[in-house]
Amino acid sequence: MRIEQITLYNFGSYEGKAVFDTKTDGTRNIILIGGKNGAGKTTLFTAMRLCLYGYMSMGYRSQNAYYFRSVSKLLNSSAKLVRPTKAHVQMQIALSNGHELDIYRLTRAWVLRDTLSETFCVEKNGSAINSGEVADFEKYLLSMIPPELFNFYFFDGEKIADFFLDEAGSTRIKEAFLTLCGYDVFDIMRKNFHRVSSAKGNPSPNLQEYLTAKENADHTREACQALSDSLRKCEADFELCVSDISALEKEYRKKGGITQNEWEEKRLTQKEEEKRREALNTAMKKWANDLIPFLMIRDRIAAVKEQIEEEASDQKYRNFCEVLDLPEINQILTQQLPTLKEIAAKRLKHGNQPLLNLSLEQNATVLAQIKQILEFDKKEIFKCKRAIKRSLALSASLRQELENSSLSSEQEYMLQRAQLYEAKSRLLEQKEELRKQLQEQQEIFLQAKGNLSNQQSRLEAELKRVSIDNISARAIVMLDKLQKVLYRCQVERVETIFRREINTLMRKKRFIDDIQIDDRFQIHIYRVEDISTESVAAALTGTSGERLCTLLGNAAMEKLCQFTGTDDPDGMAFYCRSCGQPTIALPVEIDKASLSNGEKQIFIMALYYSLAQLSGHEIPFIIDTPFARIDTEHRKNISQYFFKKLAGQVFILSTNEEINSDHVQILKDHIASVYLLESTDEKRTTVVKNSYFEVPHGF
C-alpha cells in the first residue's frame, strides 16, 4: 500500500484546498512535512486516519452523535460561517492485486447544515464502485491495518511510549504481534474446530476435559503472574515507603525540626550537665580550700606525721611501763621486768621530747587529714578540669541545637511520619499475604499444569483409537502445539532484532543488555551488573529464592542456576560463599518506569522496528513529532538507523527543532518530497512545496 496524494478541503486549519503529492519511488520513500507548532501537522495526521477509517480512527463503534460532534470540531472555523459547510479529505492510494497496481481514490466528505452528514466514496482506476464493493474495500483496509494497529502505523512520538508501556501495553503488544504475524487466525480456527466438534452430537469427553484443563491452566498461570506482578509492585512500594520515611526525617532535620521528646531530652541533658559541673566545681573549691595550701608544705606535713607517730609510740611505751609497774604485775614478773622494759624500749621508745601531746582521737583525726593530703593525686585536678571543659562543650552544642531547632512543624511532621509508618506496616502485611497467595496459586498452577498434561495424553490416546471423523479434536491439539512453537519462534526473532537495534540507536554504553518477552507478552529488559556474592548468598539464605527472584527477576535466578549448577537456594548460597569470587555478573531486570522519557522513546522505537519486521505487507508509517522526547545526541542515530531502515512509505511530520538541516542531509537520499506548513495571522495553514525551514530549496 502506497499513498500517492492527499487532499484536504476546509479541514482544520486548512481553509480551501490543500494538496500533497506523496508519490515515492524505490529507496526514496520518505515524505518530510515540516511546520512549527500549530501549523497543521497533527491536523494532517488526524485527517489521514479519518479518511481511511472514519469513526473507528477515533475509537467509536459506529457513526454516533459523539463521532459527528468530534468531526464538527475538526471542520475549518471560517468555512463553518457559511451554511451548508462542505469539507472533505481525499487520499489516492496504490494497492497491488498480485499482478499490478490498482489506484483507489478515497473521499470522506462532510456537509454541515443543522446537523452533520458524512459520505465515503471509493473510485477504483477512475471508476466509482458500488456500496457493496465499498463495504468490502473497508473490510480489506481493516484486514491490512486493523484497529489494534492504528497507533502502530500512525506513530505519535508524544504518545507512543505510553501506548506500549502503560497497564494495557502488554495486551497491545500481543495484538500487534498476532496481527503482524497473521497468527490471530489461530483463535478463529480453534473456535471453529471446537464448534464443529461440538456439533457432531457426541463430542469427545476427553476433548472437553482437555479444553477445560487448558483453560484452567491458562487462567491459573495468569493468576500466578498477576500475583507475582502485584508482589513485585508491593515490594517496590515498600522500598519507596522506607525511602520516603528516611527522606522525610532527613528533610525535617535539615530544616531544624525536632520532636517534643527530643527537645525535652536535650533540655534534661543540659540540666544534668549543669549539675555535673556544679559538683565538679564544688570538688575543685573544696580541694582549693582544704588541700592545696597543705600541698605547698607537703614535706613539713610528712614531718608532722612522723612526729605524731613517734609521740604515739612513746606514749605506748610509757603506758606499757605503767602497766608493768603495777604492784600486782611487779610481784608476778619481778625477774622479767627489766627484760620486758628493754624490749619495749627498743620497739617503742624514741626518746624525743613530746611536742604535740595529742589525744588518741586527735591523733586519728590529724593522721586521716594528713593521709588525704599526702595521697592526693594532682592528676585529679586536671581530670576534673577536662571533665568541666567537655561538659561546657556539650552544653554549648546542646544550646546551639536547641536554638537552631524548631517545634513549629512537629505536628505536621509527626502526622506524615505516622502515615508513612502505617503505610509501611500495611505494605509489609500485604507483602506477606501476597507471598502466601502466590505460593498457594503456584501450587494450584502446578496441579492444573499436570492435569492439562494428563488430559492431553488421554485425548491423544483416544484420537489414536477413533476414526478420522474426529479431525476437529485432532486439529485443536495440533493448533495448541503449533501455536506455542510459532509464537516462541517469532518472539525470539523480535528479541534478536531488538538487541541489535537498541545498541544501534542508543549511544549510551550498556543501556540494555537483553530483552525477554514472556508468554503474556510482557516485556522484561535487563542490564548485566556485578552483584556481590555475599549479598546474593544473604538474600538466598533461609528463603525459597523468591526474595532474590523478586529483586532481580527470573533471568537472574536462571543465570544463578547455571552458574552454581543447582536450583536449591541453600546450595546456591553455599556456592556463592565458597566460590572465592567477590562478585557475580547477573542480568538485573530494569524497571521500565525508571527510564527517562527519552530512553523510553528510544526503547519503544527499537521495539517498534522489531515488531514491524514481522509484517508481510508494505504499509505506510505516519510519524508525528518524531523526536518529542529524544535528546540531540540521539537524533542523528535515529535519523540514520531508524527512519532510513523502515520499509514502505514513511511520513515524517516535524518541527524545525526536531528534524533540522543536519538530519535532512542524513535523510536526503531517501526523501521523495518535502512540504513546509506555514500558519498565517488568521491561523490558516498554507502549504509550500519543496521547502523546509532553513534548508535550501531544490528537493
Side-chain angles (χ1 to χ4, degrees):
M1 174 181 172
R2 292 202 300 269
I3 300 172
E4 297 191 334
Q5 190 180 80
I6 307 166
T7 303
L8 281 71
Y9 178 72
N10 289 339
F11 189 87
S13 56
Y14 296 85
E15 185 177 353
K17 181 181 288 189
V19 180
F20 297 85
D21 182 5
T22 59
K23 290 185 176 67
T24 55
D25 181 27
T27 59
R28 292 188 175 273
N29 63 327
I30 295 177
I31 297 92
L32 178 60
I33 301 173
K36 295 183 178 180
N37 292 329
K41 300 186 303 300
T42 301
T43 300
L44 176 60
F45 182 81
T46 303
M48 295 169 72
R49 285 183 59 156
L50 191 59
C51 182
L52 288 171
Y53 300 105
Y55 61 86
M56 283 178 285
S57 69
M58 294 184 173
Y60 297 109
R61 296 185 178 182
S62 63
Q63 288 185 349
N64 54 39
Y66 297 103
Y67 167 68
F68 286 123
R69 192 178 304 157
S70 298
V71 173
S72 295
K73 294 178 182 178
L74 294 172
L75 303 187
N76 183 264
S77 300
S78 298
K80 284 194 286 187
L81 297 175
V82 179
R83 299 297 174 93
T85 303
K86 294 183 179 180
H88 69 257
V89 178
Q90 187 177 86
M91 294 176 66
Q92 182 172 301
I93 63 176
L95 292 172
S96 174
N97 59 19
H99 302 286
E100 57 185 2
L101 292 177
D102 289 326
I103 307 301
Y104 291 84
R105 180 176 285 111
L106 320 179
T107 305
R108 197 171 295 274
W110 301 275
V111 177
L112 177 63
R113 295 184 175 87
D114 293 333
T115 58
L116 184 74
S117 61
E118 177 183 290
T119 58
F120 180 60
C121 302
V122 181
E123 296 178 24
K124 179 181 179 182
N125 297 326
S127 301
I129 61 178
N130 60 42
S131 58
E133 291 172 324
V134 169
D136 291 339
F137 179 78
E138 288 182 295
K139 291 178 182 178
Y140 176 70
L141 278 181
L142 284 174
S143 69
M144 291 185 66
I145 310 180
E148 54 266 24
L149 292 186
F150 283 174
N151 289 318
F152 188 82
Y153 286 104
F154 291 85
F155 181 113
D156 186 338
E158 293 183 335
K159 300 177 181 177
I160 193 68
D162 296 332
F163 177 77
F164 280 112
L165 295 179
D166 65 12
E167 291 183 359
S170 59
T171 301
R172 297 190 184 107
I173 291 173
K174 180 179 180 180
E175 290 173 345
F177 173 84
L178 296 180
T179 305
L180 290 168
C181 294
Y183 291 166
D184 49 342
V185 71
F186 279 121
D187 286 338
I188 299 172
M189 293 173 64
R190 196 172 187 279
K191 290 177 182 177
N192 285 332
F193 283 135
H194 187 199
R195 177 178 54 79
V196 170
S197 178
S198 300
K200 289 181 176 294
N202 292 312
S204 166
N206 285 335
L207 174 61
Q208 296 299 324
E209 290 174 0
Y210 167 76
L211 293 173
T212 301
K214 187 175 188 305
E215 182 179 351
N216 187 40
D218 291 342
H219 175 73
T220 53
R221 182 178 62 251
E222 290 177 1
C224 279
Q225 188 61 51
L227 282 170
S228 180
D229 293 343
S230 297
L231 177 58
R232 182 171 299 183
K233 182 179 182 302
C234 182
E235 292 191 329
D237 290 344
F238 179 81
E239 295 299 327
L240 180 62
C241 186
V242 171
S243 176
D244 287 344
I245 290 172
S246 177
L248 175 67
E249 293 180 348
K250 185 177 180 181
E251 184 65 20
Y252 184 66
R253 304 296 179 192
K254 185 179 178 181
K255 293 179 178 179
I258 191 172
T259 66
Q260 185 67 42
N261 288 340
E262 289 173 332
W263 178 281
E264 292 174 355
E265 185 178 339
K266 290 180 186 294
R267 291 292 297 167
L268 180 61
T269 304
Q270 264 192 327
K271 291 179 180 179
E272 289 175 349
E273 287 301 315
E274 290 174 1
K275 291 180 181 179
R276 183 164 175 259
R277 286 198 305 276
E278 185 178 350
L280 291 170
N281 283 318
T282 300
M284 291 280 286
K285 289 177 182 178
K286 189 175 187 327
W287 292 338
N289 294 330
D290 298 346
L291 295 176
I292 293 177
F294 295 104
L295 291 175
M296 297 172 66
I297 55 171
R298 190 184 187 107
D299 294 341
R300 295 187 180 183
I301 295 295
V304 170
K305 178 186 178 186
E306 185 177 347
Q307 179 67 29
I308 292 173
E309 289 175 346
E310 287 179 357
E311 288 186 10
S313 181
D314 285 340
Q315 183 63 43
K316 289 179 184 177
Y317 173 73
R318 288 194 297 272
N319 292 340
F320 180 72
C321 288
E322 287 176 2
V323 172
L324 291 179
D325 289 338
L326 290 173
E328 297 86 351
I329 300 297
N330 196 342
Q331 186 179 0
I332 297 172
L333 301 174
T334 301
Q335 295 180 358
Q336 288 84 12
L337 279 177
T339 303
L340 289 173
K341 287 182 179 182
E342 185 181 351
I343 293 172
K346 289 181 181 179
R347 296 289 184 118
L348 299 174
K349 186 178 180 182
H350 293 275
N352 296 327
Q353 187 68 27
L355 296 175
L356 301 175
N357 287 321
L358 300 177
S359 66
L360 291 175
E361 183 179 351
Q362 289 172 334
N363 262 352
T365 301
V366 173
L367 285 174
Q369 290 176 344
I370 290 173
K371 181 180 179 183
Q372 185 179 6
I373 293 168
L374 295 179
E375 292 182 356
F376 181 76
D377 188 353
K378 294 179 182 179
K379 293 180 181 178
E380 293 296 322
I381 298 174
F382 297 107
K383 288 181 182 179
C384 191
K385 287 182 176 180
R386 286 196 296 268
I388 292 172
K389 188 175 180 180
R390 286 195 299 269
S391 178
L392 286 170
L394 178 57
S395 293
S397 174
L398 289 169
R399 183 169 55 255
Q400 187 66 39
E401 288 179 13
L402 289 170
E403 288 175 358
N404 295 335
S405 299
S406 171
L407 289 171
S408 59
S409 58
E410 184 207 12
Q411 188 173 1
E412 181 183 356
Y413 161 72
M414 293 301 291
L415 177 61
Q416 292 180 359
R417 188 172 180 270
Q419 289 174 344
L420 285 172
Y421 270 99
E422 183 181 350
K424 179 183 175 183
S425 177
R426 185 174 64 253
L427 287 168
L428 186 60
E429 292 178 1
Q430 186 179 346
K431 270 179 25 178
E432 296 307 317
E433 180 61 26
L434 284 170
R435 281 199 183 99
K436 180 181 177 182
Q437 291 180 10
L438 178 59
Q439 185 176 2
E440 293 174 352
Q441 190 62 47
Q442 285 172 336
E443 292 176 358
I444 294 172
F445 169 62
L446 289 175
Q447 293 175 358
K449 188 177 179 181
N451 183 43
L452 174 61
S453 178
N454 292 336
Q455 295 300 333
Q456 182 175 331
S457 299
R458 291 176 59 188
L459 179 58
E460 289 175 342
E462 177 189 353
L463 293 176
K464 290 178 182 178
R465 295 193 302 270
V466 299
S467 68
I468 197 66
D469 291 340
N470 209 347
I471 188 96
S472 296
R474 293 176 183 271
I476 289 173
V477 177
M478 180 274 294
L479 280 177
D480 287 341
K481 291 182 177 180
L482 179 62
Q483 188 176 21
K484 186 175 182 180
V485 173
L486 292 177
Y487 279 14
R488 181 38 52 188
C489 179
Q490 292 290 50
V491 163
E492 289 176 355
R493 181 185 172 196
V494 170
E495 292 171 348
T496 301
I497 297 172
F498 176 89
R499 294 184 191 104
R500 183 186 68 235
E501 291 304 308
I502 194 65
N503 290 322
T504 302
L505 296 180
M506 175 57 74
R507 294 179 62 85
K508 183 189 295 185
K509 292 183 178 179
R510 297 195 62 205
F511 169 55
I512 294 175
D513 290 322
D514 202 4
I515 182 176
Q516 286 184 358
I517 302 176
D518 62 24
D519 293 340
R520 298 174 66 220
F521 286 87
Q522 289 189 333
I523 296 176
H524 306 274
I525 53 178
Y526 301 92
R527 184 183 297 124
V528 176
E529 296 183 4
D530 292 328
I531 309 297
S532 163
T533 49
E534 183 179 348
S535 62
V536 172
L540 286 166
T541 302
T543 71
S544 60
E546 293 176 3
R547 180 182 174 191
L548 191 65
C549 186
T550 301
L551 290 173
L552 304 181
N554 293 327
M557 289 300 293
E558 291 175 4
K559 186 69 175 179
L560 267 178
C561 290
Q562 295 174 9
F563 184 75
T564 61
T566 178
D567 59 358
D568 176 57
D570 291 334
M572 288 190 283
F574 175 78
Y575 186 92
C576 288
R577 289 194 180 95
S578 59
C579 66
Q581 298 183 17
T583 61
I584 179 173
L586 294 177
V588 178
E589 185 165 0
I590 305 169
D591 181 6
K592 294 184 286 294
S594 68
L595 302 178
S596 68
N597 288 333
E599 289 172 338
K600 285 180 182 178
Q601 188 165 342
I602 293 172
F603 164 72
I604 290 302
M605 281 184 162
L607 177 64
Y608 179 90
Y609 179 84
S610 306
L611 289 170
Q613 305 315 299
L614 300 176
S615 175
H617 301 291
E618 186 180 294
I619 298 173
F621 291 90
I622 298 93
I623 302 173
D624 189 15
T625 56
F627 292 152
R629 303 175 177 181
I630 303 297
D631 57 68
T632 305
E633 183 183 5
H634 290 89
R635 294 184 177 186
K636 288 186 179 180
N637 265 18
I638 292 171
S639 299
Q640 180 70 40
Y641 301 111
F642 181 73
F643 294 136
K644 291 177 69 171
K645 288 172 64 177
L646 287 173
Q649 284 181 308
V650 181
F651 289 77
I652 302 178
L653 311 177
S654 171
T655 65
N656 61 328
E657 295 178 355
E658 294 184 278
I659 303 293
N660 59 28
S661 57
D662 292 336
H663 307 132
V664 170
Q665 291 304 313
I666 294 173
L667 299 171
K668 189 171 182 178
D669 58 341
H670 281 254
I671 294 177
S673 56
V674 176
Y675 289 89
L676 180 63
L677 308 181
E678 296 181 338
S679 182
T680 65
D681 293 339
E682 295 81 18
K683 295 185 179 180
R684 176 182 176 183
T685 298
T686 59
V687 181
V688 183
K689 189 174 182 180
N690 294 332
S691 179
Y692 186 83
F693 298 111
E694 72 277 10
V695 180
H697 291 231
F699 286 97

